[in-house]
Amino acid sequence: MSVKGKSKAIWIQRILLYAALSIIGLLVMFPFIWMISTAFKVKGYALKFQLFPHNLNDLQTMFTIRNFIDVWQGMEFSMYFLNSMFVAGMAAFFATFFASLAGYAFAKKDFWAKEKIYYLLLSTMMIPGMMYMIPQFVIVVKLGWYNTYKAMIIPHLASVFGVLLLRQFIETIPESLLEAARIDGASEWQIFRKVIVPLAFPVIATLFLMTFLFHWSNFLWQLVVSDPGLTRNIRTLPVGLALFRGPHGNEWELMMAASCFSILPIAVLFWFAQRFFIEGMTQGAVKE
Amino acid sequence: MNTAFARKLKENSTAFSFLFPFLAVFSLFLIFPIVYSLYLSLCEKSGYSIAGLKFVGLKNYQALFKDAEFWWSLLMTFYYALLTIPAGIFLSLMLALLLNNRLPGKLFFRSVFFLPNVLDLLVVGIIWKLLYTSGGLVVTAMQYLGFGMEGGILGNPWTALPGIALAMVLKGSGFGMILFLAALQNIPESVFEAAEIDGATGFECFRHITLPLLRPIMLFMIITGTMAALNTFTEIYAMTDNGGPVVLFGKHTLGATKLTGYYLFSKWENHQYGYAAAMSYVLLVVTVAISLFNSWLLRRKD
């Protein structure tokens, strides 16, 4: 084949590849496109399809920002949004902090029953989360934490995955660096703050994003520990949306507008920090 | 006191002070519940307080083994695993193969396919419910093509669970794609060049070189997929009410989308904490059995 013919074949191959990728990409993204377009429709128009507006009147039924205003102000989704931010932010901060401390101890310290404790950690990873729901719920109720932020946050502050991740990274930090700091008179805490944390920062950031994401979507647990009748003021976004569905199940335009408040911030965050997300989420798997 | 012992003591005390916050939460909320759950499974709720309990022995387990709804939910869970895992592996592998090249804009597509993985499961479920509802886009399109769908995709016992599975496969396939891509990029070019010199066709290369090397990832996806099926709750809760369209089986009224996770939740909702704890324990045994079987499989293959 001539050089020209070959480059032409490559171009055809590329165009086919782009076509296939675009079709699958559209299919994967379609629900979210549909969510946004429905959120902009006038009430009662969610199930009326029209690809192109025929006249000005049609256009007006396809574009309004009324739903966003209603949901954000009238239906307290602003409060749910802030609650979700608070719960996910606090949980992510403390879970990451605790995991970093423990990861440092596992990586650089020698202590009693170290291997046994480590195996205990590993074995809890095999237990599906659903199995923890009942005992954790009863414990939370007995502690008097039912219907509080504490109940949503504290039971999930021990991130075993985080400890494994941090241990693995901190082990690669040379001992000589810590020894040098020790000779300079640094305390253990200072070594952790001034040496370990800055060096492990990318891993810590990854873990923070992972745990934030987990708590942003930790619907079942947040539903279980809050009484629907009592806890409007600590309700999180997914729980708010689920309970909103009851009385407003057919008002799809409002539900989609509310959904945007959960989806769009995470999508934007993902787009700017995707390296951390993808690495963090697939880390455990690739190591198998 | 000798100095070696003193040093050891000091090392231990610093180590445990770093470990303390993690271990405190870990023991109270991840270790203690395993034991506590066993105790709960031998109790039932009594009185008006949320967590008032009374010891009843093995009653919950006896009832559970006779509970047709429980066995049904286990069956549906494996059906769901069967619907999601092969389709998930197929789509992820296809995406990875499409992106295993030096195409400009490759990273953009990779991000697009991965993005749905990070989005809230409940919300994604609700969006799909809108698409699947009668009068919704998918149902309207199917009617247009001549497939009538009374009550929407989620209102029909035959299509409800496959419909949910399709939504979840589309949401999750970007994850497997990343795993496959990493593995594909680890295969040295020289292997393919050698095969080509020996006259192997593209398909033969794929069949005899690529596929065997991807096997560990497929196995990993089967294991995590099974675990995920046993954990499935949110998408079911988002898309169907009370465990989905009714299925009549003998004298039993069953739900077409009532997987174990949802059934467990419904028991919690009825304040049957002891019963739900017994169910958790049986499911735990099932999970451990599956994990052991899988690791045996993995070792045999090596």
Side-chain angles (χ1 to χ4, degrees):
Chain A
M1 204 188 290
S2 70
V3 176
K4 210 172 169 186
K6 194 167 185 182
S7 85
K8 201 176 163 191
I10 286 176
W11 271 107
I12 291 172
Q13 198 191 12
R14 272 201 180 161
I15 288 167
L16 287 177
L17 212 50
Y18 278 127
L21 288 170
S22 306
I23 290 167
I24 304 174
L26 266 177
L27 196 65
V28 167
M29 278 294 125
F30 185 76
F32 309 103
I33 299 169
W34 198 247
M35 166 191 81
I36 293 169
S37 84
T38 305
F40 280 112
K41 285 182 181 172
V42 168
K43 283 190 187 78
Y45 280 84
L47 299 178
K48 296 195 170 71
F49 311 120
Q50 203 166 25
L51 207 50
F52 300 105
H54 294 308
N55 52 43
L56 196 64
N57 197 33
D58 284 349
L59 198 65
Q60 280 168 341
T61 64
M62 284 170 74
F63 191 83
T64 173
I65 55 164
R66 188 77 238 159
N67 302 320
F68 291 99
I69 298 169
D70 281 359
V71 164
W72 189 250
Q73 289 177 343
M75 283 131 191
E76 300 177 323
F77 271 88
S78 49
M79 190 171 74
Y80 304 158
F81 183 84
L82 292 177
N83 283 333
S84 262
M85 283 297 240
F86 177 75
V87 168
M90 290 292 273
F93 175 79
F94 283 105
T96 308
F97 180 48
F98 292 176
S100 311
L101 290 172
Y104 172 52
F106 271 111
K108 293 291 178 194
K109 301 282 162 201
D110 204 11
F111 53 87
W112 176 76
K114 181 171 171 177
E115 290 309 308
K116 289 200 184 81
I117 297 175
Y118 197 68
Y119 278 117
L120 210 55
L121 256 65
L122 288 179
S123 56
T124 58
M125 282 189 101
M126 306 239 297
I127 301 173
M130 198 75 198
M131 264 102 258
Y132 278 114
M133 183 178 95
I134 302 293
Q136 283 184 343
F137 167 75
V138 178
I139 293 168
V140 158
V141 170
K142 296 227 161 164
L143 288 169
W145 293 355
Y146 188 54
N147 286 333
T148 60
Y149 285 127
K150 270 189 285 188
M152 294 185 201
I153 297 169
I154 296 175
H156 291 102
L157 290 187
S159 166
V160 174
F161 165 74
V163 175
L164 306 191
L165 195 68
L166 263 305
R167 176 199 189 159
Q168 204 170 48
F169 185 83
I170 295 171
E171 268 174 349
T172 65
I173 296 174
E175 192 63 38
S176 57
L177 228 53
L178 309 185
E179 212 44 59
R182 242 171 240 132
I183 290 164
D184 289 344
S187 68
E188 283 298 326
W189 171 247
Q190 281 170 327
I191 290 173
F192 177 76
R193 275 266 345 254
K194 302 271 165 69
V195 182
I196 303 289
V197 171
L199 286 173
F201 195 73
V203 183
I204 291 175
T206 304
L207 183 59
F208 180 87
L209 284 175
M210 287 305 95
T211 33
F212 185 88
L213 203 62
F214 173 79
H215 286 274
W216 186 264
S217 311
N218 195 8
F219 164 66
L220 175 59
W221 181 247
Q222 289 163 1
L223 179 73
V224 161
V225 294
S226 54
D227 186 323
L230 296 171
T231 50
R232 259 184 39 241
N233 56 328
I234 64 160
R235 189 172 294 164
T236 56
L237 205 51
V239 178
L241 192 66
L243 297 175
F244 178 76
R245 221 167 45 134
H248 304 274
N250 290 319
E251 296 173 51
W252 289 107
E253 308 80 14
L254 289 176
M255 292 226 289
M256 290 300 112
S259 300
C260 287
F261 291 119
S262 162
I263 295 282
L264 296 181
I266 299 296
V268 171
L269 190 66
F270 170 76
W271 208 259
F272 287 107
Q274 43 181 299
R275 189 170 67 88
F276 295 114
F277 277 98
I278 295 178
E279 273 173 23
M281 289 176 79
T282 53
Q283 190 101 36
V286 176
K287 287 289 172 315
E288 287 298 305
Chain B
M1 206 191 287
N2 64 47
T3 49
F5 181 74
R7 198 182 306 133
K8 209 169 176 189
L9 204 66
K10 190 165 172 292
E11 174 112 355
N12 260 295
S13 74
T14 37
F16 278 103
S17 57
F18 274 98
L19 285 167
F20 178 72
F22 174 84
L23 283 186
V25 182
F26 178 74
S27 0
L28 182 57
F29 289 105
L30 292 176
I31 293 296
F32 174 62
I34 298 171
V35 186
Y36 192 48
S37 197
L38 189 61
Y39 167 71
L40 287 177
S41 72
L42 304 173
C43 295
E44 73 183 12
K45 187 175 151 36
S46 76
Y48 291 105
S49 88
I50 295 182
L53 296 162
K54 160 175 115 219
F55 191 81
V56 293
L58 289 172
K59 191 178 149 193
N60 289 321
Y61 288 96
Q62 283 163 348
L64 188 66
F65 285 111
K66 279 185 275 181
D67 184 356
E69 245 189 303
F70 169 68
W71 295 110
W72 168 263
S73 71
L74 207 56
L75 190 69
M76 284 301 102
T77 303
F78 286 107
Y79 177 44
Y80 186 66
L82 212 63
L83 287 169
T84 47
I85 297 170
I89 290 178
F90 177 76
L91 186 59
S92 324
L93 183 57
M94 207 165 82
L95 292 176
L97 290 172
L98 286 174
L99 288 179
N100 187 34
N101 49 39
R102 296 199 185 83
L103 198 70
K106 167 190 155 162
L107 289 180
F108 169 79
F109 283 107
R110 198 183 72 145
S111 308
V112 166
F113 297 143
F114 193 82
L115 174 62
N117 270 291
V118 301
L119 302 177
D120 187 273
L121 194 51
L122 180 85
V123 177
V124 173
I126 292 177
I127 299 170
W128 277 94
K129 194 178 179 183
L130 166 63
L131 292 166
Y132 280 159
T133 192
S134 72
L137 189 71
V138 172
V139 175
T140 308
M142 284 180 75
Q143 268 161 355
Y144 187 76
L145 295 172
F147 301 98
M149 270 289 161
E150 201 77 16
I153 305 255
L154 300 170
N156 179 325
W158 291 103
T159 52
L161 205 55
I164 296 175
L166 174 69
M168 291 306 125
V169 166
L170 283 177
K171 181 185 191 287
S173 56
F175 188 85
M177 173 196 72
I178 298 282
L179 303 184
F180 280 129
L181 263 178
L184 285 172
Q185 277 151 14
N186 277 338
I187 305 175
E189 289 275 334
S190 56
V191 179
F192 291 108
E193 280 160 16
E196 230 167 275
I197 290 165
D198 290 344
T201 63
F203 179 75
E204 280 169 346
C205 285
F206 177 75
R207 172 75 187 73
H208 295 288
I209 301 173
T210 314
L211 221 48
L213 287 169
L214 296 180
R215 225 228 227 85
I217 296 187
M218 291 186 193
L219 207 57
F220 173 80
M221 286 175 76
I222 294 170
I223 297 171
T224 49
T226 315
M227 294 279 265
L230 283 162
N231 257 334
T232 299
F233 167 75
T234 304
E235 57 265 47
I236 306 290
Y237 182 91
M239 291 164 85
T240 57
D241 302 316
N242 303 318
V246 168
V247 176
L248 290 172
F249 188 81
K251 59 186 192 326
H252 304 290
T253 312
L254 306 160
T257 63
K258 205 177 248 182
L259 307 190
T260 49
Y262 192 90
Y263 190 49
L264 188 65
F265 173 80
S266 70
K267 289 295 164 198
W268 171 83
E269 246 182 344
N270 288 338
H271 306 289
Q272 290 171 272
Y273 306 131
Y275 196 79
M279 201 173 139
S280 304
Y281 242 86
V282 173
L283 291 175
L284 181 62
V285 171
V286 172
T287 311
V288 170
I290 292 171
S291 302
L292 290 177
F293 174 72
N294 279 322
S295 62
W296 171 77
L297 209 64
L298 200 69
R299 245 178 298 132
R300 210 185 55 142
K301 285 280 149 58
D302 290 345

